[in-house]
Amino acid sequence: MSLYAEPPKSLSINDLASMKQAGEKISCLTAYDASFASLLDQAGIDVLLVGDSLGMVIQGHSSTLPVTIQDMVYHTRNVTAARKRAYVIADLPFASYASPEQALLNAAQLMQLAGAQMVKLEGAKFDVIRFLVEQGIPVCGHLGLLPQSVNQLGGYRVQGREPEQAGQILNDALAIEQAGARLLLLECVPALLAAQISQALTIPVIGIGAGVDCDGQVLVLYDMLNISMGKRPRFSKNFMAEANSIEDAILSYLNAVKNRQFPAAEQAY
Ligand code: KIV
């Protein structure tokens, strides 16, 4: 039996844009399966991100690189089967969008076979974004720390501390909006830079390790439930520490995001 009094209205990209305009923070968590997707949806989380972080938290790899498009289709289908209200974004995995044509084939799988409403891709791939948008595919950009480029970056580090790199990230963010992206995820950048970018862009900016002034926040679900293997990143928080149940922890995250209590200074750079 559903816990909903009546079926909730499914959120659209326009609803997320209106939230930014109204100053309402957008809550987002990663989801990889139907049971958690249903819990998050019923708690009122606005956006479910089927992240390629599943390579680490579900598959046990040390990076997101081994994740395939088949993995993403499988997990995205599980999430969309359970969600009623939340907006669902699916990651294009490593090396699945090297050209606009390859990106289209893979994004189409995430949307047609798995029901994603938007795809996310990492980096300053303006041509790919423009092409996908022309084909009617909503795109979320991803700047700052790019986990799919970890071997090139030499580790998971804060990006944009130096003025030159900060300027580059700001310019890339503006160009991603110009290319037609409808959302931007900023990962592990100084809070001041993220605030500047969130102000400069008309599209919503979702932060992870990017301070409280982004238009919304995302965390890896297993990190905030404290069930990930290994060390929790500094920008995350164990919401189970003061909760009696998983539902409590999710609601406490939702409230903390909406009320600007998360992230606090200790979770920002
Ligand atoms: O794959 C993922 O979970 C992400 C995080 C930055 C939220 O992209």
Side-chain angles (χ1 to χ4, degrees):
M1 198 186 77
S2 167
L3 296 179
Y4 296 117
E6 58 186 68
K9 178 183 163 287
S10 174
L11 291 181
S12 73
I13 185 58
N14 294 339
D15 293 318
L16 302 181
S18 301
M19 286 166 76
K20 170 163 180 146
Q21 275 162 19
E24 182 187 347
K25 298 284 179 185
I26 299 167
S27 59
C28 176
L29 283 170
T30 64
Y32 318 102
D33 69 75
S35 298
F36 270 125
S38 177
L39 267 182
L40 301 179
D41 193 71
Q42 293 190 41
I45 296 292
D46 300 312
V47 179
L48 306 184
L49 170 64
V50 189
D52 60 358
S53 51
L54 69 86
M56 300 169 88
V57 298
I58 302 277
Q59 298 175 333
H61 299 298
S62 59
S63 78
T64 59
L65 271 65
V67 177
T68 65
I69 189 69
Q70 288 79 17
D71 295 331
M72 292 307 305
V73 168
Y74 173 79
H75 286 280
T76 303
R77 200 190 288 128
N78 294 342
V79 167
T80 59
R83 132 295 168 208
K84 292 192 165 47
R85 173 184 174 272
Y87 190 75
V88 178
I89 306 174
D91 267 344
L92 278 166
F94 175 66
S96 72
Y97 49 98
S99 67
E101 293 74 18
Q102 187 199 19
L104 175 60
L105 288 177
N106 288 316
Q109 291 200 57
L110 292 172
M111 299 190 78
Q112 286 186 311
L113 304 181
Q117 289 161 288
M118 173 179 270
V119 299
K120 176 165 82 60
L121 56 88
E122 295 183 9
K125 310 273 289 183
F126 312 123
D127 291 349
V128 172
I129 294 172
R130 202 171 296 112
F131 187 70
L132 290 179
V133 170
E134 279 165 11
Q135 311 307 315
I137 297 177
V139 176
C140 175
H142 182 153
L143 291 175
L145 174 60
L146 307 178
Q148 292 174 8
S149 303
V150 63
N151 292 324
Q152 212 159 30
L153 296 171
Y156 298 99
R157 292 201 186 86
V158 180
Q159 304 292 308
R161 283 200 200 271
E162 305 305 323
E164 196 182 324
Q165 199 191 22
Q168 184 67 53
I169 295 173
L170 172 60
N171 287 339
D172 287 348
L174 290 165
I176 280 176
E177 172 167 281
Q178 196 63 39
R182 302 291 302 276
L183 276 183
L184 176 69
L185 189 145
L186 272 184
E187 180 166 358
C188 282
V189 299
L192 273 176
L193 173 62
Q196 195 186 358
I197 293 174
S198 304
Q199 273 218 321
L201 265 52
T202 60
I203 60 173
V205 175
I206 311 289
I208 177 163
V212 75
D213 288 322
C214 295
D215 305 304
Q217 299 293 330
V218 61
L219 282 179
V220 171
L221 177 67
Y222 290 19
D223 288 345
M224 59 81 80
L225 294 179
N226 203 33
I227 54 174
S228 295
M229 300 175 299
K231 195 167 164 271
R232 196 178 52 252
R234 169 181 152 187
F235 58 75
S236 192
K237 179 178 167 180
N238 174 11
F239 281 86
M240 281 303 285
E242 288 168 18
N244 293 321
S245 65
I246 290 174
E247 286 91 334
D248 259 13
I250 293 165
L251 282 174
S252 147
Y253 169 75
L254 176 68
N255 290 331
V257 169
K258 295 281 178 189
N259 299 327
R260 302 177 56 97
Q261 287 160 345
F262 179 82
E266 74 233 44
Q267 288 117 11
Y269 301 101

